[in-house]
Amino acid sequence: MIASSAELSIMVRRCLLTFKPFRIFVLGIGFFSLCFLMNSLGGQFSAKRPGDSPFTVRAEVLGGPESRGVLRKISDMLEVIMKRMDALSKLGNTTDAHRLDELSSALDRIQPIGLVERIQAIAQNMSDMAVRVEQILQRSMANSRVRDGALGQCETPKDPRYPDCPSKMDWMRSRWTSDPCYAFYGVDGSDCSFLIYLSEVEWFCPPLAWRNQTATPTLKPPPKKQAVFQSDIGTLLEQVGTGKESLSFMKRRIRRLAAQWASAARRLDDKLRNHWREQKRILVHVGFLTEESGDVFSPKVLKGGPLGEMVQWADIVTALHVLGHNLKISVSLKELHGFLGVPPGRGSCPLTGPLPFDLIYTDYHGLQQMKQHMGLSLRKHKCHIRVIDTFGTEPAYNHEEYATLHGYRTNWGYWNLHGQQYMTMFPHTPDNSFMGFVAEQLNETERLNIQRNKVNNMALVYGKEASMWKGKEKVLAILHRYMEIHGTVYYETQRPPEVPAFVKNHGLLPQQELQQLLRKAKLFIGFGFPYEGPAPLEAIANGCIFLQPKFDPPHSSLNHEFFRGKPTSREVSSQHPYAEQYIGRPHVITVDFNNTEEFDETIREIMKINVEPFLPYEYTCEGMLERVHAYIQNQDFCSPEDPFPPVNSSWLGTSPGPFILLPNSSILTWASNVSSYTSWPPLSALRLLASLEGQSCVKACQSAGLMCEPALYRFINIKEAFSALDFQCEGLESEMNHLFPAFSTEHAECGLQQDPLLFSCAGSSAKYQRLCPCRDYRIGQVALCRDCL
């Protein structure tokens, strides 16, 4: 492809911005390259049209082979220079003289020689003029600064409320040309333009009294609209887009489940009794599918690659659409820039206007992309972001300063978000919000047909990649004694050697054909990987028994390569902990696959068991709609929380403070005769208890049949909570510690949490008994308390 004149201009500008010492030199080359191009084309340029630059070339002029050849040579030359500049700009310890030698060497190697010599000759003749122009510009800017100072308007203000203003002014003076976005906002090198930018676009300097403040009026938020359930998916399918196999997969899933989403919406509407719901402006940016992130998923969709993330994203966008919100979907940086209003440049500047969305759903890749392109706006608007995070992010890893100081720093954490802004695939990390996905729900006729058509001795292996079968010969041999084994392993030409000959391999199947296979099979068996995928739930929903390996010791970031670097210390006791804990026998059986006797006995037991299809409510379309609706209408991480406890509280300093014991229990709850405070979940759901030494609040609450609720931590982070639990505090301290509030049994000291970002259900220590804010939950919907709707 031949570069256009506009593209050549862009190359020249990139060279200028990349390597400052040679800007004038390269500008000369770029300018005279274009002049030479015009001369070579015989001056056949179009008449100037509105919007054309003085050097606009008509498209038809580029039709001749000679013209294309010249243009290609210039394009290649500038590309070589640009690449050489990029390499040289990274050599921080190299002298300018050496860099100049490097550049000269690069130019010497450019062909054709005649073309380069002509350009170099013209550039050499113009070098003195370039220096004089630079001197004139510098004098002009200096005079401008003098005039500004004389007027007294553009001196750097010394305001204690804006302590960073002087240092930011110094930075702008030396670096304002580092990103074109500053010029986009009117910065021209003068102190006045710096001050205007730092006070009106950014917020490091005070407002300028002499500026017409009405020029940038405060925009009122758009009026609130009511969200109305919608069942038509046509507009949603258009927004998902085309061009990637991953997007085609998502659209097929949306179409297949459309009827179930529509009926679920009607049931939820009846349950909410037409309650008024605010329509939100929502951006969904699927970062891992962008070309800039590498998009390793799309090419593998048809080759047995992981589909769990695409299943979840398809269900997320469908849920948001069906709930009636104003939805935009982005799968590229170009779309992200357009939706957010990112100014042209390298991402150093804030957005061009107020954030046009109430909520942004993205992933870790998208979060990194927004950091690179939103400038300071990310810090300002990050409370609107929700991060889809499969394996969870614990507060100790999320808090940048704390993670760095205490060894929790990883490649994925340290974003300083509220813990519940991370949204997981399964409810394994109470510090995060449980987003989930849906599995297809059977009607009564389908359930009866499945029970009639089950093949008692048919097993299907959970593993689409041949590598998942390695080392499983003993397990497969035992299973083969009792059952006919089927697989869906991807292959192109030859059958994978890892799959034994006695296995009937169907190859990679479309979703509907896979579902038909699941409806026949009695057993769905996992080999330990992948972790926590959607397939086991789909198998159980189709009447299969899921058999999975137990991990002893549990897998975690401390002992297993897959979890190393992930921002969680969670211990995974089996391939699918949710299925083990929340579903269990007879639908889910977890055994030690290394114990061949136990495995053999389990297979014989399964042969005798008959189970019905089962799907937890929280993984139905209605369950997901209910949960996402509750989050959108109630979670608010942007509004500041009221101080707690209020200084005029009547219970301050008393025992048991605002807590009372539940009848016939050692668990405390919020007293009904004490003032209630705005909270979601509401304080009526709070159950206060103390963990055992070395026990996390996740485990402590689970042992009491409850869920840990980090949103309620601030109500128990008071000294009255210790006395209510009969802890005698000889000392009371407040510090940043992800285990606090907690009681030190060794020193009889009580510790309060200093930083709310570190309120954490996860984490334990043999030194402490932790104070735990537990709550009740709705049957089949652990994410919500009984009063949360």
Side-chain angles (χ1 to χ4, degrees):
M1 179 180 293
I2 300 174
S4 67
S5 60
E7 290 169 333
L8 289 176
S9 178
I10 290 172
M11 290 186 213
V12 172
R13 287 200 299 272
R14 285 182 59 191
C15 291
L16 296 178
L17 293 172
T18 302
F19 202 63
K20 187 174 180 180
F22 298 127
R23 285 179 185 169
I24 299 299
F25 178 66
V26 177
L27 180 60
I29 291 177
F31 176 80
F32 288 104
S33 297
L34 294 177
C35 290
F36 176 75
L37 170 64
M38 290 187 286
N39 183 63
S40 300
L41 296 176
Q44 298 178 29
F45 294 91
S46 65
K48 186 174 179 181
R49 293 167 295 180
D52 284 350
S53 75
F55 301 109
T56 298
V57 183
R58 288 181 62 87
E60 56 265 30
V61 173
L62 302 179
E66 181 182 350
S67 302
R68 288 199 301 270
V70 172
L71 190 52
R72 183 185 293 109
K73 291 171 186 176
I74 295 175
S75 173
D76 293 345
M77 180 192 71
L78 289 176
E79 187 65 24
V80 170
I81 294 173
M82 184 183 67
K83 290 179 179 178
R84 197 61 178 168
M85 293 292 191
D86 288 341
L88 291 174
S89 66
K90 297 173 183 176
L91 301 177
N93 297 324
T94 307
T95 64
D96 287 345
H98 181 61
R99 292 178 180 176
L100 187 56
D101 291 340
E102 290 283 314
L103 179 61
S104 299
S105 176
L107 289 171
D108 289 341
R109 290 194 294 272
I110 297 173
Q111 298 295 332
I113 295 174
L115 175 62
V116 176
E117 287 177 345
R118 293 177 66 181
I119 295 174
Q120 287 179 328
I122 299 172
Q124 180 63 38
N125 292 335
M126 292 297 295
S127 61
D128 291 339
M129 183 183 294
V131 171
R132 286 196 295 272
V133 169
E134 181 75 7
Q135 292 172 346
I136 292 170
L137 289 173
Q138 290 176 352
R139 283 197 298 270
S140 175
M141 291 170 59
N143 291 336
S144 175
R145 292 193 187 103
V146 170
R147 287 196 302 272
D148 293 341
L151 293 172
Q153 292 180 330
C154 297
E155 295 179 356
T156 302
K158 295 178 175 58
D159 189 328
R161 295 171 300 173
Y162 298 87
D164 296 324
C165 186
S167 62
K168 289 293 179 180
M169 283 289 289
D170 291 339
W171 189 96
M172 290 292 290
R173 290 184 184 114
S174 61
R175 298 292 305 278
W176 75 272
T177 57
S178 63
D179 194 321
C181 69
Y182 296 114
F184 171 82
Y185 278 115
V187 176
D188 59 10
S190 67
D191 279 8
C192 277
S193 69
F194 298 153
L195 276 175
I196 292 169
Y197 175 85
L198 290 172
S199 63
E200 297 179 12
V201 180
E202 296 184 6
W203 44 89
F204 292 105
C205 293
L208 304 174
W210 51 271
R211 286 282 289 172
N212 181 9
Q213 300 301 321
T214 58
T216 54
T218 302
L219 297 178
K220 295 181 179 179
K224 292 184 178 181
K225 296 182 180 179
Q226 182 173 3
V228 178
F229 286 102
Q230 51 188 347
S231 57
D232 181 12
I233 61 169
T235 56
L236 174 62
L237 293 173
E238 290 178 8
Q239 284 193 293
V240 171
T242 58
K244 291 175 178 281
E245 189 56 44
S246 52
L247 301 180
S248 299
F249 172 87
M250 292 168 62
K251 290 167 78 170
R252 288 194 296 270
R253 178 176 178 83
I254 292 169
R255 289 191 191 97
R256 191 174 68 252
L257 296 176
Q260 294 199 16
W261 285 109
S263 59
R266 289 191 293 271
R267 291 192 298 271
L268 181 59
D269 196 18
D270 292 340
K271 183 185 295 186
L272 297 176
R273 299 172 185 173
N274 296 314
H275 180 72
W276 195 90
R277 298 178 301 112
E278 182 182 350
Q279 184 189 62
K280 302 289 187 179
R281 301 165 300 159
I282 298 177
L283 171 64
V284 173
H285 177 60
V286 191
F288 81 96
L289 290 183
T290 62
E291 295 299 329
E292 292 78 8
S293 71
D295 187 13
V296 298
F297 288 84
S298 295
K300 296 182 178 180
V301 169
L302 300 178
K303 297 183 178 181
L307 300 177
E309 287 83 358
M310 280 167 273
V311 165
Q312 187 180 32
W313 277 109
D315 294 347
I316 289 171
V317 298
T318 309
L320 296 173
H321 173 81
V322 170
L323 286 168
H325 297 291
N326 184 357
L327 187 64
K328 302 293 182 186
I329 300 174
S330 162
V331 290
S332 71
L333 275 186
K334 182 179 179 181
E335 291 173 318
L336 179 68
H337 285 192
F339 287 138
L340 291 178
V342 175
R346 298 176 177 174
S348 303
C349 302
L351 302 181
T352 56
L355 187 71
F357 298 100
D358 301 302
L359 292 169
I360 300 175
Y361 290 84
T362 189
D363 52 24
Y364 266 123
H365 293 285
L367 193 58
Q368 185 65 41
Q369 290 167 352
M370 285 190 279
K371 178 183 178 181
Q372 293 171 351
H373 296 274
M374 287 178 66
L376 291 171
S377 293
L378 180 64
R379 187 191 313 171
K380 182 178 181 180
H381 299 307
K382 68 180 182 179
C383 62
H384 299 277
I385 294 173
R386 305 293 183 266
V387 182
I388 306 304
D389 175 18
T390 301
F391 295 100
T393 299
E394 294 174 359
Y397 297 82
N398 169 65
H399 193 292
E400 183 176 18
E401 178 185 354
Y402 187 81
T404 304
L405 292 174
H406 298 277
Y408 293 102
R409 182 84 181 226
T410 71
N411 291 333
W412 298 104
Y414 65 82
W415 288 94
N416 292 325
L417 301 177
H418 191 289
Q420 291 184 306
Q421 289 178 255
Y422 298 99
M423 311 192 90
T424 58
M425 186 173 276
F426 292 95
H428 46 57
T429 306
D431 292 309
N432 305 151
S433 299
F434 161 45
M435 171 59 77
F437 59 96
V438 305
E440 197 162 343
Q441 195 170 9
L442 305 176
N443 58 41
E444 198 59 36
T445 302
E446 290 171 326
R447 292 171 65 89
L448 292 173
N449 287 338
I450 284 177
Q451 291 176 277
R452 283 198 297 264
N453 298 328
K454 277 290 177 185
V455 179
N456 195 54
N457 67 337
M458 179 178 171
L460 179 61
V461 174
Y462 180 23
K464 297 178 294 184
E465 296 182 20
S467 59
M468 299 175 185
W469 295 63
K470 287 181 179 179
K472 304 300 185 294
E473 294 82 6
K474 288 183 180 179
V475 169
L476 286 166
I478 296 172
L479 182 60
H480 181 51
R481 294 178 203 160
Y482 303 96
M483 308 187 88
E484 181 183 89
I485 305 175
H486 292 248
T488 57
V489 182
Y490 169 79
Y491 66 96
E492 292 183 353
T493 55
Q494 294 182 336
R495 179 187 178 94
E498 296 87 350
V499 181
F502 55 74
V503 174
K504 184 176 181 180
N505 185 28
H506 299 263
L508 199 63
L509 294 177
Q511 185 65 26
Q512 287 181 312
E513 292 182 35
L514 175 61
Q515 195 163 26
Q516 293 304 315
L517 207 58
L518 288 170
R519 292 183 179 187
K520 285 184 179 180
K522 179 168 189 176
L523 176 65
F524 189 62
I525 179 171
F527 286 157
F529 190 84
Y531 298 97
E532 299 178 309
L537 284 192
E538 294 171 347
I540 296 165
N542 281 288
C544 294
I545 295 171
F546 177 51
L547 177 62
Q548 64 170 344
K550 182 195 313 183
F551 300 147
D552 188 17
H555 294 180
S556 72
S557 57
L558 299 178
N559 64 10
H560 202 275
E561 188 61 32
F562 179 82
F563 290 101
R564 192 162 289 121
K566 290 184 170 57
T568 175
S569 58
R570 182 167 63 96
E571 295 184 334
V572 178
S573 59
S574 63
Q575 182 175 359
H576 208 291
Y578 174 86
E580 178 187 10
Q581 178 183 346
Y582 290 95
I583 300 177
R585 285 177 174 263
H587 301 279
V588 180
I589 300 177
T590 307
V591 297
D592 181 3
F593 278 26
N594 295 318
N595 187 330
T596 55
E597 291 183 7
E598 181 184 8
F599 185 82
D600 188 289
E601 182 180 338
T602 301
I603 299 300
R604 285 187 273 114
E605 177 190 352
I606 288 171
M607 298 292 290
K608 302 173 185 177
I609 299 175
N610 290 314
V611 298
E612 295 183 0
F614 175 74
L615 180 62
Y617 173 76
E618 55 202 355
Y619 284 96
T620 65
C621 291
E622 183 181 348
M624 185 168 184
L625 287 175
E626 178 183 87
R627 184 169 62 249
V628 175
H629 152 73
Y631 290 151
I632 289 175
Q633 301 300 324
N634 294 288
Q635 284 185 337
D636 180 4
F637 306 113
C638 296
S639 302
E641 293 179 331
D642 295 330
F644 188 87
V647 293
N648 59 351
S649 299
S650 59
W651 45 264
L652 283 174
T654 67
S655 180
F659 308 103
I660 58 169
L661 280 171
L662 288 171
N664 303 316
S665 173
S666 60
I667 298 176
L668 295 163
T669 188
W670 195 264
S672 58
N673 62 344
V674 174
S675 297
S676 187
Y677 302 93
T678 302
S679 169
W680 192 84
L683 276 170
S684 59
L686 173 64
R687 304 290 184 266
L688 171 62
L689 55 82
S691 75
L692 301 176
E693 294 174 356
Q695 186 182 43
S696 71
C697 283
V698 176
K699 298 293 185 184
C701 293
Q702 285 178 349
S703 65
L706 301 166
M707 294 292 293
C708 183
E709 179 49 66
L712 298 176
Y713 254 117
R714 70 191 193 100
F715 298 105
I716 69 166
N717 191 43
I718 53 177
K719 62 181 180 181
E720 287 79 9
F722 290 97
S723 58
L725 290 167
D726 294 327
F727 287 125
Q728 303 300 317
C729 302
E730 294 186 7
L732 182 69
E733 60 180 6
S734 177
E735 68 175 65
M736 287 170 51
N737 187 324
H738 75 287
L739 303 177
F740 282 12
F743 178 74
S744 169
T745 52
E746 181 180 355
H747 303 290
E749 290 184 346
C750 298
L752 297 176
Q753 180 58 256
Q754 182 176 318
D755 191 331
L757 284 184
L758 285 172
F759 282 139
S760 176
C761 295
S764 62
S765 169
K767 297 180 180 179
Y768 296 114
Q769 284 185 266
R770 301 191 57 194
L771 273 60
C772 302
C774 309
R775 62 161 171 82
D776 57 26
Y777 57 88
R778 300 169 70 87
I779 302 300
Q781 185 75 287
V782 297
L784 303 179
C785 68
R786 291 171 188 163
D787 296 330
C788 279
L789 279 180

